[in-house]
Amino acid sequence: QVQLVQSGGGLVQPGGSLRLSCAASGSIFSIYAMAWFRQAPGKQQELVAVITSGGPTNYTDSVKGRFTISRDNAKNTVDLQMNSLRPEDTALYYCNAVITPGGSTLRREYWGQGTQVTVSS
């Protein structure tokens, strides 16, 4: 059973920083892409940042230059460093990974439990 477990998040003032972490565990053969999504109240889910196994990254325009996604392939973890946070970054953040479980040849998508990020003075 593959699981994604998130940590981090919380309340921060505008201009502050937070770091989100996500660890994949269980029977894992390989991890292709790892990503962070977010969903604000009344809004659609949004892809924030993605990183593939080879290292290339992509960000939604609103976070470019402020957020950095990174992964540790040896530990099966992905982090999201969020700097210069704005009130509009307030949302529930979800870790996402495309994983081939051990004993399988098919990739599947997995989700973390979600963590709240609130940017407010």
Side-chain angles (χ1 to χ4, degrees):
Q1 187 85 2
V2 175
Q3 281 188 316
L4 298 184
V5 177
Q6 300 177 215
S7 60
L11 173 65
V12 66
Q13 292 186 341
S17 297
L18 283 174
R19 189 176 186 88
L20 304 181
S21 296
C22 175
S25 63
S27 179
I28 297 171
F29 176 71
S30 66
I31 301 178
Y32 177 58
M34 303 187 84
W36 289 94
F37 287 76
R38 66 186 179 186
Q39 187 162 21
K43 294 188 177 181
Q44 287 190 329
Q45 190 180 66
E46 174 186 36
L47 173 62
V48 177
V50 60
I51 183 168
T52 64
S53 57
T57 59
N58 199 17
Y59 300 88
T60 190
D61 286 345
S62 63
V63 309
K64 286 180 180 177
R66 301 188 297 122
F67 290 12
T68 302
I69 188 170
S70 60
R71 65 187 281 177
D72 185 329
N73 291 330
K75 296 180 179 179
N76 291 336
T77 59
V78 61
D79 291 346
L80 184 69
Q81 177 65 40
M82 305 182 291
N83 299 327
S84 302
L85 282 160
R86 305 167 180 169
E88 54 264 38
D89 294 317
T90 296
L92 194 58
Y93 283 71
Y94 292 93
C95 172
N96 170 278
V98 178
I99 295 173
T100 301
S104 173
T105 58
L106 299 176
R107 291 175 179 173
R108 287 185 53 190
E109 195 171 23
Y110 294 85
W111 293 89
Q113 78 275 21
T115 187
Q116 180 67 37
V117 171
T118 302
V119 185
S120 175
S121 55

